[in-house]
Amino acid sequence: MYGNDPDHPGPRPNRTYVELVDGPLDGLLLDVTGWEQFEIDTGVSLQTDLGQFGVDGRTMYDPRRFAWSGDNP
């Protein structure tokens, strides 16, 4: 993901990104280079300590626009 690391503040050339919308990772870019379309179409559950459940939690983004859809343990 890009946007949370001051040493690498922007996307790399020749990579494909989606922007995460809302939730704890709002505004970050998720690198989906090499992902199959079915993987992108199902959304993603990302491990993060920024969500409701802390270090062991995951945050879920649905595939419409990779908009946040909730947190889970």
Side-chain angles (χ1 to χ4, degrees):
M1 270 184 277
Y2 286 88
N4 65 339
D5 182 354
D7 294 331
H8 301 96
R12 294 181 181 165
N14 304 315
R15 308 293 293 184
T16 302
Y17 298 90
V18 294
E19 182 178 2
L20 301 174
V21 179
D22 296 330
L25 304 179
D26 184 44
L28 298 182
L29 299 177
L30 178 64
D31 185 348
V32 295
T33 304
W35 289 28
E36 298 291 334
Q37 189 62 47
F38 76 89
E39 293 172 299
I40 294 170
D41 290 345
T42 59
V44 66
S45 177
L46 301 169
Q47 189 170 8
T48 181
D49 60 352
L50 300 176
Q52 178 181 355
F53 298 99
V55 176
D56 294 324
R58 300 182 76 78
T59 190
M60 301 171 295
Y61 285 83
D62 67 30
R64 295 173 300 159
R65 294 181 0 215
F66 278 80
W68 178 73
S69 61
D71 294 327
N72 62 8

